[in-house]
Amino acid sequence: MQNMRPVLPTELLSRLSEIVAIRTGLYFPPERWSDLERGIAAAASDFNCPDLESCAHWLLSAPLSRHMTEILASCLSIGETYFFREKQNLNILEERILIPLIQSRRQHGQRLRIWSAGCSTGEEAYTIAILLNRLIPDLKAWNITILATDFNPQALRKAAQGVYGEWSFRNAPAGLRERYFNKRSDGRYEIQSYIREMVTFSYLNLADDVYPSLSNNTSAMDVILCRNVLMYFTPQLAKHVAGKFYHSLVTDGWLIVSPTETSNSLFSPLMPVAFPGAVLYRKGANTDSGSYASKYEVVQPSEPAETVIPVLPDVQQQSADAEISAVRDELRQSPQPAASESLSDLAHHCANQGRLDEALAWCEKAIAVDRLNPSLHYLGAAILLEQGRHDLAGQWLMRTLYLDPDFVLAHFSLGNLHQSQGRYRQAQRHFKNVLTLLHHHQQNEILQEADGLTAGRLAEIVTSMLDSLPQLEVNV
């Protein structure tokens, strides 16, 4: 559709585009000023402004809270999606990535971790779940994580409910609704519960929040899909997010963006890999290792590759083993607190590489040295959550709270766990506990075991999480 002629004066639109870029990271060059106007008009009612122009002047003069900034960003980003969108990319994901990966993991761990970043109302995440349901007949024997994140609480609420109208099925494969949805009396379609339960929806702001992190389950991903999201960001913010995605992937992991977002310089730490009709990005695989990832054609950059964000090299197994050996020697001579801290560092190190069994083993050794340390029990719970062992993780989180009832991140993790399992009232209770406990912390105080997350930012995240909970479930 051709853009409409802008209504606001050019000077006002120019100032608006600058302030929006500063406050939200969203990029609106002159050719997209009509989109900027539409978004601000949509946000006017949320900000109690009578019309577009008054809202524009208010945005230029009023200080916005982070919550209000996210409302503005959600109105300015389209967030339109549907089932099996961009079939070319999905066919590549299924045939050239998932099938070989499943074959490889069937022999080693039966574990997959996939992240839909900027999931909007959930159609992409459920599409991935449907693909895996088709590809893995013994799905119950696998540890499957499909994490779907967005910063829009309303979109997350709709995603968690899993109810869609006809428009979400345009271009969907034949038989999709009949096989995976139940038709409701209002004419809409509700996704089958066994597909809905495969996906964990969670609040996360790609621009500001901490990732990768055990605290929000964003580390050691095999595949990250972030399609039609980075195109809205300023170049600087897009590069920042791309660098974080790099660290969130395991070695040989894949990043999938939309065809319009491909850029060798933007994703320079990753290898561009050519497929018919698409370019995907892969993290530092060893092409001599015989792994499935080495079979693809690596694209030579057509533009100078810039490493904008310093990227730490991956720690290979040999150096990791040397580090572990050195720590063992250190532990023989260490007093108890230092010993548990070293073991905890090893657990973090292994978990960030996706070596979760080793990570849990080191964590258990640390607990054996320092049994009453709640941080160690919380670390073990975070590792168990990444392994998909949710019941046991819940027990470890409760043990953490037994040792320290005010452990904020344990309440937060329990809230996320209950939410992912559809226990919304329990989730609400733990999220409210978080907000109560945060009153005792300074806004800029970095929380225990939070990977740099401040108390003020966690309060904003939890408030958005509460907003995203299905209202009917919470208010029973």
Side-chain angles (χ1 to χ4, degrees):
M1 181 185 295
Q2 190 173 13
N3 285 340
M4 297 174 59
R5 188 173 180 179
V7 174
L8 297 175
T10 299
E11 181 183 355
L12 183 57
L13 282 167
S14 178
R15 292 170 60 202
L16 279 171
S17 65
E18 291 177 8
I19 200 69
V20 164
I22 292 169
R23 292 182 179 177
T24 71
L26 301 180
Y27 182 50
F28 287 92
E31 59 269 22
R32 292 192 58 221
W33 280 355
S34 57
D35 295 332
L36 176 62
E37 280 190 334
R38 279 194 291 269
I40 292 173
S45 60
D46 291 316
F47 295 138
N48 295 317
C49 295
D51 54 43
L52 166 64
E53 187 164 359
S54 63
C55 186
H57 286 290
W58 178 76
L59 287 171
L60 290 173
S61 61
L64 295 182
S65 67
R66 194 183 299 257
H67 178 63
M68 295 169 75
T69 298
E70 288 170 353
I71 291 175
L72 177 62
S74 67
C75 292
L76 290 170
S77 52
I78 295 173
E80 180 189 44
T81 185
Y82 49 89
F83 289 101
F84 285 82
R85 185 180 188 184
E86 293 181 0
K87 289 185 179 180
Q88 186 79 9
N89 274 355
L90 288 174
N91 289 339
I92 294 167
L93 172 65
E94 178 178 1
E95 298 170 10
R96 306 296 297 276
I97 296 176
L98 289 180
I99 290 176
L101 185 55
I102 290 166
Q103 291 171 346
S104 172
R105 292 286 173 81
R106 188 169 290 281
Q107 308 302 320
H108 303 93
Q110 296 189 213
R111 173 176 174 267
L112 285 174
R113 290 176 55 77
I114 301 174
W115 178 11
S116 171
C119 67
S120 187
T121 48
E123 287 92 333
E124 177 179 80
Y126 288 134
T127 295
I128 297 165
I130 290 169
L131 283 178
L132 293 178
N133 179 265
R134 291 177 177 176
L135 294 173
I136 305 177
D138 57 337
L139 197 60
K140 290 184 178 180
W142 284 66
N143 172 16
I144 303 290
T145 295
I146 303 174
L147 175 66
T149 65
D150 204 277
F151 67 88
N152 186 332
Q154 289 74 30
L156 286 170
R157 187 184 304 132
K158 179 178 177 180
Q161 289 170 338
V163 178
Y164 299 95
E166 292 282 353
W167 192 237
S168 292
F169 296 92
R170 59 194 186 276
N171 300 322
L176 179 74
R177 279 173 286 193
E178 292 74 16
R179 173 68 179 84
Y180 293 101
F181 293 81
N182 296 318
K183 190 169 184 178
R184 293 161 41 118
S185 58
D186 61 4
R188 296 189 297 165
Y189 295 85
E190 182 174 359
I191 199 157
Q192 296 272 6
S193 59
Y194 67 93
I195 296 294
R196 181 168 54 226
E197 290 165 3
M198 292 177 65
V199 182
T200 299
F201 291 99
S202 185
Y203 175 91
L204 188 132
N205 187 327
L206 292 173
D208 292 326
D209 287 331
V210 177
Y211 59 97
S213 173
L214 285 173
S215 65
N216 54 23
N217 202 21
T218 51
S219 59
M221 290 292 170
D222 296 302
V223 180
I224 299 174
L225 295 96
C226 186
R227 302 189 298 170
N228 303 295
V229 175
L230 299 180
M231 62 189 287
Y232 293 107
F233 291 167
T234 62
Q236 295 82 1
L237 179 56
K239 289 176 181 178
H240 179 65
V241 172
K244 287 190 171 186
F245 282 157
Y246 176 89
H247 291 294
S248 296
L249 288 167
V250 296
T251 300
D252 280 354
W254 294 86
L255 173 64
I256 302 176
V257 298
S258 71
T260 59
E261 295 170 313
T262 56
S263 165
N264 290 347
S265 62
L266 176 60
F267 304 111
S268 57
L270 298 160
M271 295 181 185
V273 181
F275 294 94
V279 174
L280 276 55
Y281 296 90
R282 177 167 51 94
K283 179 175 177 176
N286 180 357
T287 54
D288 296 326
S289 67
S291 69
Y292 70 92
S294 67
K295 301 175 184 178
Y296 304 123
E297 176 188 353
V298 175
V299 179
Q300 296 304 316
S302 57
E303 51 187 319
E306 308 174 346
T307 304
V308 179
I309 303 166
V311 176
L312 298 175
D314 288 330
V315 180
Q316 301 300 320
Q317 182 66 44
Q318 184 176 357
S319 60
D321 290 344
E323 180 181 350
I324 290 170
S325 178
V327 170
R328 280 198 183 109
D329 292 339
E330 179 186 338
L331 291 174
R332 294 190 185 100
Q333 306 172 14
S334 297
Q336 178 174 307
S340 66
E341 184 175 344
S342 297
L343 289 164
S344 173
D345 289 344
L346 280 176
H348 275 287
H349 175 78
C350 292
N352 288 335
Q353 288 190 310
R355 295 155 52 194
L356 298 180
D357 289 340
E358 292 178 65
L360 188 60
W362 287 116
C363 185
E364 289 172 337
K365 290 179 186 294
I367 290 172
V369 173
D370 189 5
R371 291 184 180 278
L372 300 182
N373 186 336
S375 294
L376 297 176
H377 293 274
Y378 172 77
L379 173 59
I383 296 168
L384 288 164
L385 285 170
E386 287 211 8
Q387 289 182 317
R389 300 164 69 181
H390 294 158
D391 290 343
L392 191 55
Q395 294 175 24
W396 281 54
L397 288 169
M398 293 304 294
R399 195 181 308 158
T400 304
L401 292 176
Y402 174 78
L403 294 170
D404 180 2
D406 295 339
F407 200 113
V408 176
L409 264 292
H411 283 288
F412 179 61
S413 294
L414 276 169
N416 284 328
L417 179 59
H418 286 306
Q419 184 207 26
S420 70
Q421 297 175 335
R423 297 197 291 265
Y424 300 122
R425 279 177 287 182
Q426 293 94 320
Q428 183 191 48
R429 185 176 69 250
H430 283 289
F431 287 148
K432 288 185 174 181
N433 286 342
V434 171
L435 294 178
T436 299
L437 291 169
L438 288 176
H439 286 307
H440 304 294
H441 295 266
Q442 297 295 320
Q443 289 280 306
N444 60 354
E445 180 181 345
I446 295 177
L447 296 168
Q448 182 182 11
E449 299 298 320
D451 295 324
L453 184 68
T454 66
R457 181 56 185 148
L458 182 59
E460 292 168 340
I461 291 171
V462 170
T463 300
S464 293
M465 293 294 289
L466 283 167
D467 289 342
S468 73
L469 293 177
Q471 298 295 310
L472 293 176
E473 296 287 348
V474 169
N475 295 327
V476 173

